[in-house]
Amino acid sequence: MSEARDRIRKIAAEHRARGDETAWFEAVYSEAGGDRARIAWADGEPNPHVLALLDEMKPGADGERDVLEVLEVLEVGCGLGDTSEALAARGLQVTAFDLSPTAIRWCRRRFPASSVNFVAADLFALPSTWENRFPFIVECYTLQVLPSALRARAMRALTRTLAPGGHLLLVCRARDEAEPEGEIPWPLTETELRSFAGGDLELTKMERFLDDEGPPASRFRAVYRRSPGEGGAS
Ligand SMILES: C[S@@+](CC[C@H](N)C(=O)[O-])C[C@H]1O[C@@H](n2cnc3c(N)ncnc32)[C@H](O)[C@@H]1O
């Protein structure tokens, strides 16, 4: 896995040196030549922290709405689609998108009978038909591979697709405020997570935890909720 991570850091550094902050994702997938082991973040399993948060959002838990009653879910930066498939297996109607057309074709090949609507799309140029539409959004590990200057913009774009009263679930790497950002994937701070709230988006849950990887990684999981009132997010 560390070889795969080194490869990704090298590709990202080459593109970023040319001033391109996002084209490297397609290069990572296309240069992998169909070999999943070369995609450092693709372990062939759904994200366990997303599934745990879903389980906690069942009726009665924190008075939250039962997300399993929610039909439409949007997954951001779905990669090779394992989490998308797990959401669909729970009866959810999933639209999963990724910037990389190669990743999306790969998802369709891996899951030919899938009910998931796998779409190649850029979160900074989303279809207008997605605005105010999704009662539930899942984001795991995409913000942490975007430079910090782009993350607030990314969250605003996602918020625009959230239906009034809808929830956005976020899982990412965590660091202390004074800790250096280090190399990709860049961990986020608590201040940054709090800064995404505002306007009609409220942060309703935020937890920092150590996962069970070796060595354990510090992560946040957070839930945002868009107010049920009228009007779009700005
Ligand atoms: C670190 S990977 C995580 C993939 C998946 N969520 C997972 O946990 O395995 C981040 C994903 O975000 C995608 N991505 C990056 N920038 C994006 C953008 N602007 N729009 C949509 N997807 C993007 C990348 O192509 C990549 O598949």
Side-chain angles (χ1 to χ4, degrees), residues 93-116:
Q93 188 183 315
V94 183
T95 297
F97 74 96
D98 201 284
L99 180 64
S100 162
T102 300
I104 292 300
R105 282 194 296 273
W106 201 336
C107 288
R108 292 183 187 136
R109 268 201 316 278
R110 290 184 74 208
F111 306 108
S114 178
S115 68
V116 175

Side-chain angles (χ1 to χ4, degrees), residues 6-181:
D6 290 347
R7 181 185 85 91
I8 283 174
R9 285 180 174 152
K10 185 165 173 283
I11 295 174
E14 286 164 2
H15 281 79
R16 297 186 71 229
R18 297 199 290 269
D20 193 332
E21 293 290 0
T22 55
W24 63 269
F25 297 104
E26 171 58 21
V28 163
Y29 287 107
S30 57
E31 289 184 20
D35 180 1
R36 183 168 60 77
R38 304 192 78 198
I39 309 294
W41 51 75
D43 60 4
E45 300 290 337
N47 186 287
H49 315 303
V50 168
L51 299 184
L53 261 178
L54 276 179
D55 287 341
E56 287 168 23
M57 292 176 77
K58 284 183 175 163
D62 292 342
E64 295 276 14
R65 180 174 174 187
D66 178 5
V67 293
L68 300 184
E69 287 171 2
V70 172
L71 284 182
E72 282 209 280
V73 176
L74 181 68
E75 191 197 352
V76 187
C78 63
L80 294 189
D82 295 281
T83 301
S84 332
E85 282 302 303
L87 296 172
R90 290 174 176 226
L92 301 170
Q93 188 183 315
V94 183
T95 297
F97 74 96
D98 201 284
L99 180 64
S100 162
T102 300
I104 292 300
R105 282 194 296 273
W106 201 336
C107 288
R108 292 183 187 136
R109 268 201 316 278
R110 290 184 74 208
F111 306 108
S114 178
S115 68
V116 175
N117 180 23
F118 287 113
V119 181
D122 181 353
L123 76 83
F124 296 112
L126 293 175
S128 58
T129 50
W130 288 6
E131 282 184 21
N132 304 316
R133 170 166 155 190
F134 295 94
F136 197 71
I137 297 179
V138 168
E139 144 49 7
C140 57
Y141 305 163
T142 300
L143 288 185
Q144 66 184 31
V145 291
L146 298 179
S148 57
L150 291 183
R151 289 182 203 139
R153 226 181 100 202
M155 280 295 281
R156 283 197 298 275
L158 293 178
T159 302
R160 280 194 288 276
T161 68
L162 203 54
H167 292 85
L168 186 155
L169 193 158
L170 169 60
V171 182
C172 64
R173 283 187 179 249
R175 68 180 164 96
D176 294 333
E177 306 291 335
E179 215 177 305
E181 220 182 23

Side-chain angles (χ1 to χ4, degrees), residues 132 164-165 200 226-233:
N132 304 316
D200 62 357
R226 189 176 164 194
S227 82
E230 295 283 312

